[in-house]
C-alpha cells in the first residue's frame, strides 16, 4: 500500500538522528563485542537479561541523572522514543479529535487499508509522560502488521490532571469512538482497546467500567499495572537496576494518585475487581525484568480462571518499555501485533474470514 500520510511523520532533529544511528551501529556489533561493552551477563529470578537490552541499559545508565520534573521528563521521553523508533511502517495517518471527559482530546488515526476492526490505544508513561509522538512508531507498526485501524488518544496527564482524569478521558474517548464507528469504517461492536504500561491500566479499567455497554471487543494489555498497592513480588525483585525503578514508580504514583485514595478500589487497581467474568478477551504481554511483571500475569491468570479467553506472553529477557524501541526489539513488537491479529481473527464476528491473509502480515524489521 502506498504511504499517503495526511499527518507527516514527526520531524526528527539532526542530533536525535545521529544518536539513533549510533545506537543502530552498536546493536549491529557481533555478540562478543556487545558483551564486552555491556559487561557480565545479568541473571535474576531464573532469567538472563537480553544482551541488547543489557547494552541499552548500560548506555542509559551512563547518561547524566536529573531530578524528576514532568516537563523535562516529557521532553526526554519524546527524544528517546525518536531514537528507538526505527523505520516507521507505511500507513495513512491523520490527526483528529475525540471527546474527553472535560473537552476534546487530540487523537491520531492509523489506517493500513482494508480492515474491519479498530483498536483504541492509550500510550504509556506513568500517566505523567508520553503523547501521540512518543508512541507513533509503535502504533504505525501495530496497525500495519495486524492490519487493524487504530486511534491513539492523547488523554490528560498528571500532575496537572490527577486521577481520575485519565481514566475518565479513556472511557469518554472510547464511547465517542464507538458512537462514530461508521466514520472509521468499522461496526460499533468491532472496537477494541489497548495500551502499554499506564495505558494498559487505562484499558483494563475501561473494560471494567463499560460492563453495561458498549464494551470493547478485546483488550490488549502490555505490561499493565493492575495492583497499585505495590504488593507484587516483582516490584521488589526488580526495584533497582533496570529500566523502571521503584523511584520512578513512586514519582509517577505521587503525581497521579491523591494521597488519601483507596488503592484497592477496582477503578484504581483492576486486580481487585469483585469479578472479571464477562470481560472482553485479553492479550496480555509482560517482560521478565519488569517490576510490573507479576501483577500483569496475576491479572491474566485471574481473567482466565473466571472464564475470559486470554493469550499471554512473557518476553523473559526484556525490561519495561521495550515496545518503544523497535531498533532493538522490532521482532517482538511484530510478534505482539501478530498475536493481536490472531486473537481478533478468532473472536466471534471477525472479518478475517474474508481476508486472504487472515488479517495478518509479517513485518520487515530494520
Amino acid at each position: 500500500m502506498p504511504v499517503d500520510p495526511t499527518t507527516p511523520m514527526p520531524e526528527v532533529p539532526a542530533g536525535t538522528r545521529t544518536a539513533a544511528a549510533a545506537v543502530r551501529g552498536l546493536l549491529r556489533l557481533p555478540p562478543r563485542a556487545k558483551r564486552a561493552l555491556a559487561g557480565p551477563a545479568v541473571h535474576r529470578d531464573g532469567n538472563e537479561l537480553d544482551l541488547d537490552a543489557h547494552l541499552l541499559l548500560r548506555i542509559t545508565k551512563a547518561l547524566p541523572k536529573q531530578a524528576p520534573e514532568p516537563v523535562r521528563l516529557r521532553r526526554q521521553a519524546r527524544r528517546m522514543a525518536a531514537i528507538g523508533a526505527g523505520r516507521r511502517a507505511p500507513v495513512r495517518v491523520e490527526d483528529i479529535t475525540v471527546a474527553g471527559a472535560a473537552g476534546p482530546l487530540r487523537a491520531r488515526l492509523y489506517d493500513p487499508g482494508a480492515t474491519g476492526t479498530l483498536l483504541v490505544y492509550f500510550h504509556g508513561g506513568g500517566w505523567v509522560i508520553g503523547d501521540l509522538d512518543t508512541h507513533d512508531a509503535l502504533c504505525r507498526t501495530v496497525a500495519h502488521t495486524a492490519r487493524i485501524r487504530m486511534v491513539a488518544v492523547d488523554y490528560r496527564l498528571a500532575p496537572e490532571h490527577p486521577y481520575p482524569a485519565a481514566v475518565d478521558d479513556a472511557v469518554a474517548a472510547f464511547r465517542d469512538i464507538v458512537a462514530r464507528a461508521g466514520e472509521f469504517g468499522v461496526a460499533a461492536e468491532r472496537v477494541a482497546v489497548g495500551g502499554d504500561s499506564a495505558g494498559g491500566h487505562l484499558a483494563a479499567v475501561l473494560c471494567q467500567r463499560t460492563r453495561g455497554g458498549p464494551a470493547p471487543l478485546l483488550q490488549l494489555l502490555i505490561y499493565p499495572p493492575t495492583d497499585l498497592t505495590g504488593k507484587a513480588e516483582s516490584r521488589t525483585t526488580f526495584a533497582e537496576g533496570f529500566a523502571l525503578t521503584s523511584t520512578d514508580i513512586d514519582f509517577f504514583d505521587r503525581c497521579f494518585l491523591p494521597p488519601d485514595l483507596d488503592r484497592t478500589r477496582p477503578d484504581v487497581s483492576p486486580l481487585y475487581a469483585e469479578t472479571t467474568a464477562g470481560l472482553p478477551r485479553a492479550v496480555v504481554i509482560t517482560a521478565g525484568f519488569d517490576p510490573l511483571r507479576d501483577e500483569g500475569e496475576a491479572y491474566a491468570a485471574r481473567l482466565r480462571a473466571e472464564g475470559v479467553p486470554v493469550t499471554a506472553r512473557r518476553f523473559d529477557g526484556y525490561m519495561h518499555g521495550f515496545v518503544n524501541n523497535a531498533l532493538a526489539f522490532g521482532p517482538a513488537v511484530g510478534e505482539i501485533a501478530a498475536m493481536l491479529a490472531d486473537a481478533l481473527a478468532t473472536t466471534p464476528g471477525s472479518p478475517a474470514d474474508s481476508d486472504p491473509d487472515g488479517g495478518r502480515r509479517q513485518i520487515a524489521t530494520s
Side-chain angles (χ1 to χ4, degrees), residues 12-330:
V12 180
T16 301
R17 292 197 300 271
T18 300
V23 172
R24 185 181 292 108
L26 287 171
L27 292 171
R28 288 174 176 170
L29 291 172
R32 182 174 296 182
K34 290 182 185 178
R35 177 56 67 199
L37 291 171
V42 173
H43 296 88
R44 188 73 60 85
D45 201 26
N47 294 322
E48 179 176 326
L49 184 63
D50 174 81
L51 179 55
D52 285 343
H54 193 174
L55 182 60
L56 292 174
L57 183 64
R58 184 69 179 268
I59 294 170
T60 55
K61 282 185 175 181
L63 298 175
K65 297 294 185 292
Q66 295 179 321
E69 193 278 322
V71 173
R72 183 186 298 118
L73 290 175
R74 290 165 189 165
R75 185 166 55 246
Q76 182 183 48
R78 284 191 289 271
R79 185 170 189 270
M80 296 303 291
I83 290 172
R87 184 179 300 132
R88 298 182 192 248
V91 297
R92 185 177 182 277
V93 181
E94 180 182 358
D95 280 353
I96 62 173
T97 60
V98 298
L105 300 173
R106 295 173 61 239
R108 189 167 289 171
L109 171 66
Y110 297 86
D111 181 5
T115 178
T117 306
L118 184 141
L119 176 71
V120 180
Y121 195 84
F122 305 107
H123 65 77
W127 310 277
V128 174
I129 62 177
D131 55 29
L132 298 180
D133 287 344
T134 60
H135 286 64
D136 181 77
L138 171 65
C139 289
R140 289 175 189 260
T141 296
V142 172
H144 176 71
T145 307
R147 301 292 294 161
I148 181 175
R149 287 194 179 97
M150 294 178 64
V151 174
V153 177
D154 206 14
Y155 55 88
R156 289 174 294 165
L157 298 176
E160 297 89 341
H161 304 283
Y163 177 92
V167 176
D168 292 343
D169 278 350
V171 175
F174 171 76
R175 287 174 172 161
D176 180 49
I177 291 166
V178 169
R180 298 163 54 190
E183 293 180 32
F184 305 114
V186 301
E189 62 271 17
R190 296 296 305 177
V191 180
V193 296
D196 62 289
S197 194
H201 168 268
L202 297 179
V205 173
L206 184 156
C207 287
Q208 295 196 14
R209 269 214 194 172
T210 55
R211 283 180 175 275
L217 173 71
L218 175 145
Q219 51 185 322
L220 170 65
L221 311 179
I222 302 175
Y223 32 73
T226 64
D227 181 1
L228 274 59
T229 68
K231 294 178 181 178
E233 185 175 345
S234 59
R235 290 209 182 199
T236 300
T237 304
F238 304 104
E240 302 299 333
F242 302 101
L244 180 68
T245 68
S246 61
T247 301
D248 298 328
I249 294 173
D250 289 345
F251 170 75
F252 291 138
D253 282 2
R254 287 196 305 272
C255 289
F256 181 56
L257 300 174
D260 58 348
L261 185 67
D262 178 5
R263 297 190 180 199
T264 64
R265 288 173 45 182
D267 238 21
V268 178
S269 297
L271 188 60
Y272 287 82
E274 182 177 345
T275 180
T276 64
L279 292 180
R281 179 174 188 152
V283 176
V284 182
I285 305 299
T286 57
F289 285 76
D290 183 356
L292 304 184
R293 182 194 70 190
D294 289 357
E295 61 204 83
E297 294 178 359
Y299 194 61
R302 173 135 192 235
L303 290 168
R304 186 180 288 116
E306 295 181 345
V308 178
V310 176
T311 302
R313 170 75 159 93
R314 179 200 288 186
F315 289 85
D316 288 330
Y318 293 173
M319 299 179 293
H320 191 85
F322 73 87
V323 298
N324 276 99
N325 194 320
L327 282 182
F329 311 116

